[in-house]
Amino acid sequence: MTSSLTTVAYIAAIILFILSLGGLSNPETSRRGNLYGIIGMTIAVLATVFGPRVVTAGLPWIGAAMLAGGAIGLYAARTVQMTQMPELVALMHSLVGLAACLVGYASFVDTSVQFTGAEKVIHELEIYIGILIGAVTFSGSVIAFGKLSGKIGGRPVLLPGRHWMNLAGLLVVIWFGRELIVAPTVDAGMTALIVMTVIALLFGIHMVMAIGGADMPVVVSMLNSYSGWAAAATGFMLSNNLLIVTGALVGSSGAILSYIMCRAMNRNFISVIAGGFGTEGGAPTGGGAAQPAGEVVSVQAAETAELLRDAKNVIIVPGYGMAVAQAQHAVYEITKVLREKGVNVRFGIHPVAGRMPGHMNVLLAEAKVPYDIVFEMDELNEDFPDTDVAMVIGANDIVNPAAQEDPTSPIAGMPVLEVWKAKTSIVMKRSMASGYAGVDNPLFYKENNRMLFGDAKKMLDEVLSALKA
């Protein structure tokens, strides 16, 4: 394949990637967006493999790597549960960061192309920054994987003087960047690269360990952005325009998503990086906030079914508990029965429900819940006063009235779904434990609230049976 044809293929792939991002912005066009992405990536890979920069001797190595990677990817796609998607996404981000590091070191030791003067300085800066971003992305994503999978506790680890440590690390990285540029030989420059890589790896670990469990959706989108910039840096190292543009698309979209996540939690990006909040066990912490008071009223599945049967308007708010119990299909069956009875059923999705952006939307789509009854928080909040039953399935922090009523609460000011304004709210939980942020929830004690305790799927199956009876 000639250089001109490769360039044309890259342009086509870039256009398809842009169309893919546009399609993924809406559930109804997401399938088409995925298809655009698949076609674009296929064109990009073929254009690169059969392009002028790959020699024939390298094709067997590329083929073997693609077979191995494809087999692992296919296995993961078939075996990973939907509840494990957040940690899988974090793990994939780590691979992008690792690839950026390896490409950076390979580019540095490659002597086939000699640069001089300003070109040498620019090339070495590209390598240095690419490895820096890649190392932070790699180690940070590994820690995020551990937190999301429960292998590492969700409580933020805040070391004393951590900001001074970060500043000292930044100064050392800048110093060794200068040492790399003035290094007379590859061996001399390698020392600077290794020191910087170690510092970057430690910074990635330190940064994500200091972020609390409640901020993990922001972490996922943030690491997505980092992986994009790491890919863009790799593109600069390899003089590959497709990687540069694609990395910039991923990096900028991830940054925008991080901003949206932060706004949905009434947080700013700097405060998340500086250290988030959240506990590992979900036990109530108080944290100086006023303790909720009142009496908890529990209900059984039959009473819940009766409330739903008599309702005209129902809003269902799914949370991570629904994902853990894999109850989305039972939710759909209940929705179908209620709609057949003439009940207006809608779903309210909070931007940070679950453990990654769009987590609940994906689960509901998997269960074939119609797109037109799934709404974002801002579209539904004004409708709760006219709602007969608001049903919360395994959600906690995103329906916590303390965000509006208690200025001393750690989540004060965070936009939440105002389910307590419905005539009756029903919260499905295993116990009275607090959510991932470790904040008590006064909703449980509201006079119009009912608690349906037990495994979400088991309880919903019982509610479904009672509805059909």
Side-chain angles (χ1 to χ4, degrees):
M1 184 179 290
T2 65
S3 178
S4 299
L5 187 57
T6 301
T7 302
V8 172
Y10 280 176
I11 293 173
I14 290 169
I15 293 172
L16 286 167
F17 290 151
I18 294 172
L19 292 173
S20 175
L21 286 175
L24 293 173
S25 64
N26 189 297
E28 295 181 0
T29 59
S30 59
R31 287 181 181 272
R32 187 167 68 241
N34 268 317
L35 181 61
Y36 287 148
I38 292 170
I39 296 173
M41 185 56 68
T42 302
I43 292 173
V45 170
L46 292 177
T48 302
V49 172
F50 296 105
R53 299 183 62 181
V54 176
V55 297
T56 306
L59 291 177
W61 292 94
I62 294 174
M66 290 177 65
L67 283 174
I72 294 171
L74 184 62
Y75 173 78
R78 290 183 173 275
T79 58
V80 171
Q81 300 294 324
M82 289 304 300
T83 51
Q84 298 173 304
M85 284 304 295
E87 53 258 44
L88 178 64
V89 170
L91 195 61
M92 288 180 174
H93 290 158
S94 74
L95 296 178
V96 178
L98 179 61
C101 289
L102 295 177
V103 170
Y105 275 97
S107 297
F108 185 69
V109 299
D110 180 19
T111 57
S112 61
V113 180
Q114 294 292 331
F115 295 97
T116 58
E119 285 186 343
K120 178 177 180 296
V121 173
I122 293 172
H123 181 64
E124 290 177 349
L125 280 176
E126 291 169 353
I127 292 173
Y128 197 77
I129 295 172
I131 295 176
L132 174 65
I133 300 174
V136 172
T137 304
F138 171 68
S139 59
S141 298
V142 170
I143 299 300
F145 166 79
K147 285 197 171 192
L148 290 165
S149 61
K151 295 178 173 60
I152 300 175
R155 187 186 300 275
V157 179
L158 306 177
L159 300 178
R162 62 188 184 281
H163 300 311
W164 290 108
M165 291 169 56
N166 292 338
L167 178 60
L170 176 62
L171 294 175
V172 173
V173 165
I174 293 173
W175 169 262
F176 277 100
R178 174 190 172 278
E179 292 296 299
L180 175 70
I181 292 173
V182 300
T185 63
V186 171
D187 291 338
M190 187 62 72
T191 302
L193 276 184
I194 292 174
V195 172
M196 178 272 291
T197 304
V198 171
I199 293 174
L201 290 171
L202 292 175
F203 175 74
I205 295 171
H206 178 219
M207 177 184 67
V208 180
M209 286 297 293
I211 297 175
D215 285 328
M216 287 314 292
V218 179
V219 175
V220 173
S221 59
M222 176 189 73
L223 292 171
N224 178 55
S225 180
Y226 286 1
S227 67
W229 300 126
T234 304
F236 279 108
M237 285 185 272
L238 299 176
S239 299
N240 188 306
N241 293 330
L242 177 64
L243 262 180
I244 295 171
V245 175
T246 305
L249 285 172
V250 175
S252 57
S253 61
I256 293 170
L257 185 58
S258 298
Y259 169 76
I260 294 172
M261 295 293 104
C262 288
R263 188 176 62 180
M265 300 174 70
N266 193 38
R267 309 262 286 148
N268 64 66
F269 189 74
I270 301 301
S271 68
V272 172
I273 299 301
F277 60 89
T279 62
E280 57 184 328
T285 61
Q291 297 298 307
E295 184 178 351
V296 174
V297 180
S298 62
V299 292
Q300 300 301 317
E303 299 170 78
T304 301
E306 192 65 30
L307 286 168
L308 291 171
R309 187 183 293 113
D310 295 338
K312 292 182 179 179
N313 291 292
V314 173
I315 294 179
I316 299 174
V317 178
Y320 189 64
M322 185 188 78
V324 172
Q326 298 186 33
Q328 60 269 26
H329 297 284
V331 172
Y332 168 65
E333 292 299 325
I334 290 174
T335 301
K336 188 165 65 171
V337 171
L338 290 175
R339 295 184 79 191
E340 289 172 354
K341 294 179 181 294
V343 180
N344 179 28
V345 183
R346 292 175 293 172
F347 287 80
I349 308 296
H350 193 282
V352 295
R355 293 293 181 268
M356 71 176 185
H359 198 182
M360 294 301 104
N361 301 76
V362 172
L363 287 174
L364 295 177
E366 181 199 22
K368 303 190 186 311
V369 172
Y371 298 136
D372 60 346
I373 64 171
V374 179
F375 296 88
E376 299 298 326
M377 172 183 64
D378 295 337
E379 298 176 294
L380 279 185
N381 255 351
E382 294 181 356
D383 295 345
F384 279 109
D386 299 320
T387 300
D388 298 302
V389 177
M391 194 169 184
V392 181
I393 306 175
N396 197 319
D397 303 316
I398 62 172
V399 294
N400 193 333
Q404 296 182 0
E405 300 171 356
D406 183 5
T408 64
S409 172
I411 61 172
M414 171 180 165
V416 292
L417 285 152
E418 300 168 352
V419 297
W420 61 91
K421 292 183 178 180
K423 293 180 177 64
T424 303
S425 59
I426 302 173
V427 178
M428 299 184 64
K429 281 178 61 69
R430 291 177 180 270
S431 68
M432 288 290 291
S434 62
Y436 211 53
V439 180
D440 291 302
N441 195 338
L443 170 66
F444 304 158
Y445 307 93
K446 296 279 187 182
E447 291 183 4
N448 64 331
N449 184 67
R450 303 292 181 265
M451 300 295 296
L452 180 58
F453 292 110
D455 176 77
K457 187 176 187 308
K458 180 176 181 293
M459 290 296 101
L460 287 171
D461 285 339
E462 291 183 11
V463 170
L464 179 61
S465 298
L467 280 173
K468 289 181 175 180

